[in-house]
């Protein structure tokens, strides 16, 4: 990386702010999911509803103008209140490789841990999504937590054509003393 590229990355990073989503962010989250070309794109309605009802367990990163450039959506599992299920994570292409997804995840887990007494984070990843595998493996390492993997949903259970299996990553117990 050249010095100019490093400066640009530093400027980008410094301009970012992480907070909770609002309904006004729902459209931007839907667009980021669409533009990722990797995530399952759910209805725009579901992102709007998510921003209303699960804002407390989700986070957005905003640029200097307040526009969302990354997000993580998650919920506390109703039958396992010590477990945060991370549904989707996406970062705008221009902001990737800056540690933003890791910062979103660390910040969200620290916030929800304080409010809910979390011990475990779960997510599902489709095989071959290297960036996502690295994001969550390195999250587990940072928090000195165990990491177990098992297939949650096999290809055959999806009713709408071919779909890769979803592999459940269960990360815990978390050590949150050094987190963001
Ligand atoms: C996955 C994604 C959110 C990562 O965002 P990001 O802000 O660039 O990630 P970070 O810079 O915080 O990096 C987190 C870790 O992942 C690694 N990583 C990021 N992109 C990577 C890639 N393309 N290949 C391999 N590793 C990658 C980083 O090196 C870092 O690992 P480290 O902590 O061991 O150094 C982003 O690539 C994205 O939006 N992808 C499309 C949507 C998607 O796949 N979402 C995940 C499924 S829920």
């Amino acid at each position: 990386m050249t010095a100019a590229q490093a400066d640009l990355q530093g400027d980008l990073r410094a301009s970012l702010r992480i907070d909770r989503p609002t309904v006004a962010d729902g459209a931007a989250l839907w667009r980021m999911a669409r533009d990722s070309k990797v995530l399952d794109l759910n209805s725009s309605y579901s992102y709007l509803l998510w921003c209303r009802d699960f804002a407390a367990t989700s986070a957005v990163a905003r640029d200097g103008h307040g526009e969302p450039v990354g997000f993580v959506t998650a919920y506390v599992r109703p039958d396992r209140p010590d477990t945060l299920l991370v549904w989707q994570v996406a970062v705008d292409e221009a902001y990737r490789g800056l540690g933003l997804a890791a910062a979103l995840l660390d910040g969200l887990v620290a916030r929800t841990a304080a409010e809910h007494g979390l011990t475990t984070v779960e997510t599902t990843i489709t095989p071959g999504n290297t960036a996502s595998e690295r994001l969550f493996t390195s999250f587990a390492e940072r928090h000195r937590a165990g990491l177990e993997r098992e297939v949650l949903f096999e290809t055959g259970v999806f009713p709408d054509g071919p779909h890769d299996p979803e592999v459940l990553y269960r990360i815990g117990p978390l050590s949150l003393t050094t987190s963001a």
Side-chain angles (χ1 to χ4, degrees), residues 34-53:
R34 178 195 64 190
D35 295 346
S36 77
K37 299 190 174 70
V38 174
L39 295 177
D40 276 352
L41 181 61
N42 299 277
S43 68
S44 51
Y45 170 74
S46 70
Y47 293 88
L48 292 164
L49 200 56
W50 200 280
C51 288
R52 191 192 77 152
D53 288 347

Side-chain angles (χ1 to χ4, degrees), residues 92-179:
D92 186 291
E93 221 164 326
Y95 290 84
R96 289 186 190 165
L98 300 174
L100 185 50
L104 277 163
L105 208 49
D106 283 352
L108 175 62
V109 169
R111 184 195 340 140
T112 43
E115 290 167 8
H116 296 275
L118 281 192
T119 62
T120 307
V121 167
E122 292 183 343
T123 196
T124 69
I125 299 179
T126 53
N129 188 340
T130 313
S132 190
E133 286 167 2
R134 191 61 227 149
L135 172 65
F136 284 95
T137 302
S138 120
F139 172 83
E141 289 164 1
R142 240 182 354 269
H143 296 286
R144 299 185 299 285
L147 170 50
E148 292 170 8
R149 297 177 188 82
E150 64 178 284
V151 174
L152 180 65
F153 299 129
E154 297 276 6
T155 302
V157 304
F158 292 93
D160 52 349
H163 191 297
D164 289 327
E166 292 283 350
V167 179
L168 178 70
Y169 280 51
R170 184 178 292 116
I171 300 170
L174 299 167
S175 170
L176 293 164
T177 47
T178 58
S179 66

